[in-house]
Amino acid sequence: RLDGSAWRACTSPYGVSGLSDADHTVEIRARDRAGNLGAERSYTWRADTQVPTVTASGPADFSPVSSGDITLQASEDVTFSCRLDGASAQACTGTYRYASLSDGQHSLVVRATDRAGRESQPVTVGWTVDTKAPGSSFTSRPSTVSNNDRESIAFAADELATLADRKSTRLN
């Protein structure tokens, strides 16, 4: 019998099909010609026909910190494999911790393998670590004493910043 259904006569091999993704139990017992029933035996296994899916949530596209966590989740019970910045893949858990990364672009590629050996599509989390504050400077300015009631002051940043998009600003 399969999954607690009614007992029925069968032969070996006993084929089953259309199984749902779940644990299943088959129970067997032998009956001899005299009608004697032997001991029951059972075997339980998991049918797993779906490839796992993975989601990962981590730092913002630009992060001012070089250490943090990336949260990994899967659609079923899996083991994770992680590759940071192209290094060799390593086993990882549901929380991937990174530390002391250099400023610049980084990526974590995550794969999951379920108990049936099915491997997920890779998921990539990419971000840029930027721990240095931008510098700014004036590119033109009025003299320290001016007799004008209107002046033009221009400035720039040494990296993309929000200084009016590096354009000159006219003050009233």
Side-chain angles (χ1 to χ4, degrees):
R1 74 181 179 172
L2 178 65
D3 295 335
S5 62
W7 288 97
R8 62 184 186 93
C10 62
T11 59
S12 178
Y14 175 60
V16 293
S17 62
L19 296 173
S20 62
D21 280 11
D23 289 338
H24 297 280
T25 301
V26 65
E27 297 171 280
I28 59 170
R29 63 184 179 190
R31 182 185 306 265
D32 65 16
R33 291 182 186 173
N36 298 311
L37 281 176
E40 293 179 14
R41 303 277 188 249
S42 68
Y43 179 74
T44 301
W45 76 100
R46 174 169 284 281
D48 184 354
T49 62
Q50 301 297 313
V51 174
T53 57
V54 175
T55 57
S57 57
D61 290 344
F62 290 90
S63 175
V65 296
S66 63
S67 301
D69 294 339
I70 297 174
T71 302
L72 311 175
Q73 294 181 327
S75 58
E76 58 183 287
D77 187 26
V78 298
T79 56
F80 290 107
S81 170
C82 297
R83 286 182 46 202
L84 179 63
D85 295 337
S88 297
Q90 308 240 340
C92 54
T93 63
T95 300
Y96 181 85
R97 289 198 161 90
Y98 59 92
S100 302
L101 295 180
S102 60
D103 277 20
Q105 294 181 337
H106 297 279
S107 67
L108 180 71
V109 178
V110 181
R111 287 187 185 265
T113 304
D114 67 13
R115 296 187 326 184
R118 296 186 194 306
E119 192 173 87
S120 71
Q121 291 294 318
V123 170
T124 301
V125 177
W127 73 103
T128 299
V129 172
D130 183 359
T131 60
K132 296 176 183 83
S136 59
S137 62
F138 290 101
T139 56
S140 74
R141 59 185 179 217
S143 63
T144 55
V145 177
S146 172
N147 60 4
N148 293 319
D149 65 348
R150 302 185 106 196
E151 293 291 348
S152 178
I153 302 169
F155 44 85
D158 59 5
E159 66 177 271
L160 185 60
T162 57
L163 286 178
D165 296 322
R166 298 187 199 182
K167 295 178 184 172
S168 296
T169 301
R170 188 158 186 96
L171 302 176
N172 291 326

